Amino acid sequence: MARVRLSVEERREELLRAAVEQIEQRGVSAVRIADVAASLGVSNALVLYHFSTKEKLVAAAFAYAAEGDLAHLHKLLGRRTTALRRLRAAIRWYAPTGSAKGWRLWIEGWAAGLREPVLRKVTRDLDQQWKGALAEVIGEGVAAGEFRCPDPAATALRLTALLDGLAVQNTAYGAGPSRTTILTWVDEALARELGLAREALTRNAR
């Protein structure tokens, strides 16, 4: 059966989806241009036409994988409700409990980024976008008098560091705390950072 002719953007997106799948299956270091091409029944040359090197393909695949999560994050943070409710919803969604990003993919990216400057820049930029969005809504809550936080950027860093560490425990070791425990710890950490009692946080964030 003849393949449907795709536009440049459609073909690029198809290649990126395939690259994400192959990275998840094989890991960054093991995945090859040939694996991505074979999964779609296309030539290596076609993949290289759109992404001249494996490093550029992998970096673009990580950026592509993040777009949906970043869009959902901004949707949560842009709702018409209090900053506290928006912040808690975003933090709990980000937590490694199965409802947010593909943590195995991101742990692969962090590890490979130690050796690949292009990928390191992509993952760093994406990380800064997450932290920046959280710091912004924390600042909004402070301005509205909902809670106290002398340094929103530092709070965003500490909260995401906690969640990233829990993701490593759950994903890399497969023996991390339960979903209920993680969400309890997340609420406790958020309450401490904002100068609230946990009971007040959970009551006001519903």
Side-chain angles (χ1 to χ4, degrees), residues 93-146:
W93 174 72
Y94 183 95
T97 56
S99 59
K101 60 174 69 174
W103 283 102
R104 184 177 300 279
L105 179 70
W106 291 109
I107 291 170
E108 283 278 353
W110 296 334
L114 295 173
R115 300 176 297 279
E116 299 179 14
V118 175
L119 182 55
R120 180 167 63 248
K121 182 179 185 306
V122 168
T123 55
R124 183 182 65 239
D125 289 349
L126 293 170
D127 183 67
Q128 289 173 346
Q129 289 186 59
W130 278 90
K131 289 178 172 61
L134 294 178
E136 183 176 350
V137 76
I138 292 170
E140 291 175 10
V142 172
E146 295 180 32

Side-chain angles (χ1 to χ4, degrees), residues 2 46 69 81 84 119 133 135 152 157 167 188 194 198:
L46 178 64
D69 281 340
T81 186
L84 180 58
L119 182 55
L157 191 155
E188 290 173 347
L194 303 182
R198 180 169 176 251

Side-chain angles (χ1 to χ4, degrees), residues 140-155:
E140 291 175 10
V142 172
E146 295 180 32
F147 45 74
R148 302 186 307 276
C149 180
D151 191 341
T155 287

Side-chain angles (χ1 to χ4, degrees), residues 27-46:
V28 172
S29 59
V31 74
R32 304 172 301 162
I33 291 289
D35 297 322
V36 176
S39 71
L40 294 173
V42 301
S43 66
N44 292 1
L46 178 64

Side-chain angles (χ1 to χ4, degrees), residues 8-192:
V8 171
E9 286 304 313
E10 289 171 335
R11 177 68 74 191
R12 180 182 174 86
E13 184 172 353
E14 180 186 58
L15 292 170
L16 291 173
R17 284 198 305 267
V20 169
E21 292 173 359
Q22 291 299 312
I23 292 168
E24 289 176 333
Q25 292 176 19
R26 303 171 186 271
V28 172
S29 59
V31 74
R32 304 172 301 162
I33 291 289
D35 297 322
V36 176
S39 71
L40 294 173
V42 301
S43 66
N44 292 1
L46 178 64
V47 181
L48 291 169
Y49 172 79
H50 290 273
F51 306 95
S52 56
T53 65
K54 171 191 165 179
E55 290 73 23
K56 290 182 179 179
L57 172 63
V58 168
F62 272 88
Y64 174 77
E67 287 176 1
D69 281 340
L70 285 169
H72 188 69
L73 174 69
H74 288 299
K75 181 179 179 180
L76 289 173
L77 295 181
R79 293 187 306 176
R80 292 190 173 185
T81 186
T82 65
L84 180 58
R85 287 179 178 174
R86 288 180 281 143
L87 179 61
R88 185 175 184 243
I91 291 292
R92 288 167 70 87
W93 174 72
Y94 183 95
T97 56
S99 59
K101 60 174 69 174
W103 283 102
R104 184 177 300 279
L105 179 70
W106 291 109
I107 291 170
E108 283 278 353
W110 296 334
L114 295 173
R115 300 176 297 279
E116 299 179 14
V118 175
L119 182 55
R120 180 167 63 248
K121 182 179 185 306
V122 168
T123 55
R124 183 182 65 239
D125 289 349
L126 293 170
D127 183 67
Q128 289 173 346
Q129 289 186 59
W130 278 90
K131 289 178 172 61
L134 294 178
E136 183 176 350
V137 76
I138 292 170
E140 291 175 10
V142 172
E146 295 180 32
F147 45 74
R148 302 186 307 276
C149 180
D151 191 341
T155 287
L157 191 155
R158 285 190 292 269
L159 290 171
T160 54
L162 168 65
L163 298 173
D164 291 346
L166 289 170
V168 171
Q169 291 289 322
N170 274 20
T171 305
Y173 306 137
S178 67
R179 173 185 173 86
T180 299
T181 298
I182 288 175
L183 294 179
T184 297
W185 289 352
V186 167
D187 276 345
E188 290 173 347
L190 183 58
R192 285 194 301 270

